[in-house]
Amino acid sequence: MIRPLADRIVVEPLDPPLSTTLAVVVLGREGRHTRGKIIACGPKATDCQPGQIIHFTDTFKFPVIMDHGLKRLILQEADIAGIEEDGHYLYSQDG
């Protein structure tokens, strides 16, 4: 298990959902959003918690890390564009 420091979070990338009940994802200035499940949060990550499904900007700038054969990304909390709640997009930090 990777233990993130400061405001970093460890994320398991997820495939996009095939269908949703009612969700509108507004793309920010960074481009398309990707979904992931938070695996661990650093001590200064205050707005998220393990188990939440998040949307974040393109993964091209994040290194892929293998943790016991599973693909993981390490992001900063500021890279989160929004959090899903009950399958719905909850909020956006893009404004």
Side-chain angles (χ1 to χ4, degrees), residues 8-44:
R8 304 280 200 251
I9 57 173
V10 177
V11 174
E12 173 187 349
L14 299 175
D15 292 330
L18 296 177
S19 65
T20 59
T21 53
L22 176 63
V24 177
V25 177
V26 178
L27 301 181
R29 293 178 291 275
E30 300 287 323
R32 73 177 180 90
H33 288 177
T34 303
R35 293 173 73 236
K37 180 178 180 180
I38 297 177
I39 303 301
C41 299
K44 292 186 180 181

Side-chain angles (χ1 to χ4, degrees), residues 25-84:
V25 177
V26 178
L27 301 181
R29 293 178 291 275
E30 300 287 323
R32 73 177 180 90
H33 288 177
T34 303
R35 293 173 73 236
K37 180 178 180 180
I38 297 177
I39 303 301
C41 299
K44 292 186 180 181
T46 58
D47 292 330
C48 58
Q49 56 189 331
Q52 289 180 315
I53 304 297
I54 61 168
H55 290 253
F56 53 95
T57 54
D58 255 329
T59 60
F60 298 118
K61 69 178 183 175
F62 307 117
V64 175
I65 297 168
M66 299 304 286
D67 180 25
H68 294 87
L70 301 171
K71 185 192 291 188
R72 302 285 190 246
L73 303 171
I74 298 180
L75 287 65
Q76 287 185 292
E77 188 176 30
D79 294 321
I80 298 174
I83 299 174
E84 284 186 18

